[in-house]
Amino acid sequence: MNEAADQTHSLNCTQCGAGLDVLGGGRVKTHICSYCGAELDAQDDYKVIQQFRDMKRPDTPFDLGMTGQLWGVEFTIIGTMAWTEYYEDKRWTWVDHQVYSPTHGYGWLTVDKGYVTYTRKTREIPSPPFISNSTIEHNESRPLVKFQGETFQYFSSGTASPTFIEGEFNYRPSLDDSVRYVELMGSSRMLDIVQSGREREYEVTELPDQAALLSSFGVATNRRPRQKGTHPLENLVRSSLQLFTRNVALIGAAVAVVLGIGLSAKGEQIARSGQTAVSSEITLPFEVTDDTGLTEITIEANANNSWAWFETELTDAEDEPVAAFERGIEYYSGSDWKEGSRKARTRLTLPTGTYTLYLSMTEAKVDWTGGRLATNMSVTVRQGVAQVMWVFGAATFLGLIGFLFLGQRFLHHQSRWSGSDWSDD
Amino acid sequence: MIVRVVFVVLVLGLIGAATFMSINGVWGDSSAVISTRNGSPGGGYGIGGRGVK
């Protein structure tokens, strides 16, 4: 390292003479002039190594020299690199900023889709150390990598090239570089396997608190990037009120279900006829003593692969007609199926009092192979039966509120992985 | 805090109202039942009906 350069905080470009700030510490290898694009060798008296021309400046909220804190550590923006990746007719762009901390060394801030991530290189090697294109093409499930005790799943891969370079770097970048990367996602960080020429490096990326980061670096409100979609590292964070709402709704749904099951069993049998030949009429007197709820009249007949039609009339204590209804019973079955029911249920709201039920079969027919006409019928009367539709309806409503939150988590998960280029096909 | 209390009250109110309506058999009458009582105002069944008069 040139000792003079280490002590200097600014220099003049040896190509164009423009004043350049020296921000990056003792391990800076190159300095690309912001004005003329000359790449200067920071370790050899800033001699011109090569000249970059016609570079289009990328849109980024950060400038060289900006200083801010990441997890309590102060970093300075020392370099800017814009990247482009092409695949078929698609194009992706992002901007990397090399950052420097006197205590924590070098890292990168990346601006991609409006999100700013922090990336640092690691010397630890994952297992397996590399994922080839062939593995990605032929694996039936996402390739996995173990790193620091955590499993990372394949997210994407590609080859990118720089389109703009400015400032200081701890290596020698070039517009002719081509970097192949394989990106894998863990629970809260991403692992990149980066291959450039023969060199392979591993990088760990995290998503800092965006508002805190931008404020710390002094990014003006009008320069803050507009976020597009959900970042893969963005966790779904629910407020305590949301959690409370979800939990109360789900508990309420469970309570309503239990109530519904309990109310389904509510009701008291108050009359039952014996088995009666369908050629006869059933006359069944009964007394309703509890007018809370419904009175349920259930007709039963032993139809088999046939149907039967019943007429019912209800009279009060003065033998005045109160209600009339007709009900059909049809029951069909095979060796492994059955359809219909041998019971027909009718529910009425009856005031307390004495009633008489008249039941007769009016028509029946066999319309299936091996069918048999109903020969016997019976009727049962219960009082105080509940209409459980209401409590199950409440359970459904409350359950939906709770499940909306689960749906939100599912959608968030889908959104996080939407940028992945993995296909199960 | 008040939002939470209001939400709990709403949930309890919903369950309570649903239980009350279930026990009282509101809208539980079967269809196609004809009230044949003479003078029964408006029949006895259907939406808003109150059973056999």
Side-chain angles (χ1 to χ4, degrees):
Chain A
M1 177 65 201
N2 186 314
E3 198 175 313
D6 193 31
Q7 295 168 353
T8 305
H9 295 284
S10 65
L11 60 91
N12 292 328
C13 173
T14 53
Q15 173 82 342
C16 69
L20 303 174
D21 290 329
V22 176
L23 307 162
R27 295 184 65 186
V28 166
K29 283 190 174 175
T30 53
H31 195 139
I32 290 90
C33 175
S34 303
Y35 300 90
C36 69
E39 184 174 29
L40 313 176
D41 189 340
Q43 297 185 340
D44 189 9
D45 288 332
Y46 290 93
K47 287 178 181 169
V48 178
I49 302 169
Q50 58 181 321
Q51 179 76 45
F52 301 134
R53 299 185 190 280
D54 302 324
M55 296 190 296
K56 186 186 175 192
R57 182 171 290 278
D59 187 21
T60 171
F62 298 107
D63 299 321
L64 299 184
M66 277 182 159
T67 299
Q69 289 202 338
L70 282 162
W71 296 288
V73 178
E74 189 166 282
F75 282 91
T76 302
I77 308 274
I78 63 169
T80 301
M81 274 185 90
W83 292 86
T84 299
E85 178 185 345
Y86 292 95
Y87 180 74
E88 294 180 343
D89 58 344
K90 294 177 184 169
R91 176 175 173 264
W92 294 270
T93 60
W94 64 94
V95 181
D96 282 344
H97 290 282
Q98 177 129 61
V99 291
Y100 168 68
S101 159
T103 54
H104 287 68
Y106 299 88
W108 295 91
L109 282 184
T110 300
V111 185
D112 187 14
K113 297 184 179 69
Y115 288 89
V116 184
T117 53
Y118 173 71
T119 299
R120 59 182 169 80
K121 294 193 189 300
T122 175
R123 292 179 190 276
E124 290 186 55
I125 298 174
S127 174
F130 186 65
I131 296 175
S132 67
N133 276 338
S134 173
T135 302
I136 295 166
E137 289 294 324
H138 297 107
N139 255 34
E140 290 192 359
S141 57
R142 289 178 188 270
L144 303 176
V145 159
K146 287 269 189 187
F147 177 71
Q148 292 180 342
E150 186 180 353
T151 300
F152 289 74
Q153 294 185 70
Y154 174 85
F155 188 81
S156 65
S157 60
T159 302
S161 299
T163 57
F164 178 88
I165 310 173
E166 173 192 47
E168 296 166 89
F169 298 91
N170 63 347
Y171 72 111
R172 185 174 293 174
S174 170
L175 289 177
D176 298 326
D177 285 345
S178 178
V179 171
R180 180 178 181 272
Y181 70 90
V182 177
E183 194 160 47
L184 303 115
M185 184 146 81
S187 59
S188 62
R189 53 191 184 154
M190 300 187 94
L191 175 69
D192 276 76
I193 304 172
V194 182
Q195 183 113 16
S196 177
R198 289 182 178 180
E199 192 177 15
R200 183 183 301 156
E201 294 180 302
Y202 302 97
E203 298 175 346
V204 176
T205 297
E206 294 170 86
L207 182 71
D209 182 311
Q210 299 293 282
L213 183 148
L214 293 169
S215 296
S216 175
F217 276 84
V219 176
T221 308
N222 61 351
R223 288 190 70 190
R224 297 196 176 187
R226 181 176 295 176
Q227 295 174 344
K228 295 173 186 167
T230 304
H231 193 276
L233 293 176
E234 196 174 7
N235 284 321
L236 179 63
V237 180
R238 291 207 177 98
S239 67
S240 62
L241 181 62
Q242 283 182 315
L243 291 171
F244 179 83
T245 305
R246 181 198 67 184
N247 293 342
V248 169
L250 289 176
I251 290 169
V255 168
V257 166
V258 171
L259 269 172
I261 292 169
L263 289 174
S264 298
K266 188 176 175 293
E268 171 196 4
Q269 183 176 306
I270 52 175
R272 180 179 175 82
S273 74
Q275 291 291 331
T276 306
V278 293
S279 54
S280 307
E281 183 182 78
I282 290 177
T283 302
L284 182 65
F286 63 90
E287 185 178 4
V288 174
T289 55
D290 177 10
D291 63 355
T292 308
L294 302 160
T295 300
E296 183 181 88
I297 298 166
T298 305
I299 302 166
E300 194 168 355
N302 60 344
N304 190 22
N305 286 328
S306 65
W307 58 265
W309 195 253
F310 298 88
E311 282 185 5
T312 309
E313 191 179 30
L314 203 60
T315 61
D316 61 12
E318 284 80 40
D319 207 27
E320 290 292 326
V322 171
F325 56 90
E326 297 182 357
R327 286 290 181 269
I329 283 176
E330 53 181 343
Y331 182 78
Y332 302 93
S333 65
S335 58
D336 58 351
W337 62 276
K338 60 181 180 179
E339 192 176 300
S341 171
R342 289 185 169 123
K343 291 181 180 177
R345 193 186 67 185
T346 302
R347 287 177 170 175
L348 310 92
T349 306
L350 291 177
T352 54
T354 303
Y355 299 88
T356 303
L357 182 108
Y358 300 94
L359 171 70
S360 59
M361 190 182 84
T362 57
E363 204 178 349
K365 190 177 179 183
V366 172
D367 55 1
W368 196 262
T369 310
R372 180 169 48 80
L373 288 173
T375 56
N376 292 312
M377 61 182 181
S378 64
V379 64
T380 307
V381 182
R382 294 168 69 222
Q383 68 175 6
V385 173
Q387 166 62 310
V388 292
M389 170 188 83
W390 296 107
V391 279
F392 282 126
T396 305
F397 178 74
L398 293 171
L400 276 176
I401 293 176
F403 280 106
L404 275 177
F405 286 99
L406 296 180
Q408 184 194 15
R409 180 168 292 285
F410 173 77
L411 289 175
H412 179 79
H413 177 82
Q414 295 293 102
S415 182
R416 281 181 67 205
W417 285 90
S418 63
S420 172
D421 60 14
W422 177 259
S423 169
D424 287 324
D425 298 333
Chain B
M1 187 63 189
I2 193 160
V3 176
R4 296 174 191 224
V5 172
V6 167
F7 185 68
V8 170
V9 169
L10 282 175
V11 169
L12 290 176
L14 178 71
I15 295 172
T19 305
F20 177 81
M21 290 163 82
S22 290
I23 289 173
N24 284 283
V26 176
W27 283 9
D29 301 291
S30 300
S31 59
V33 175
I34 306 158
S35 172
T36 53
R37 170 157 290 187
N38 290 334
S40 173
Y45 289 88
I47 293 174
R50 295 170 60 192
V52 176
K53 304 292 190 297

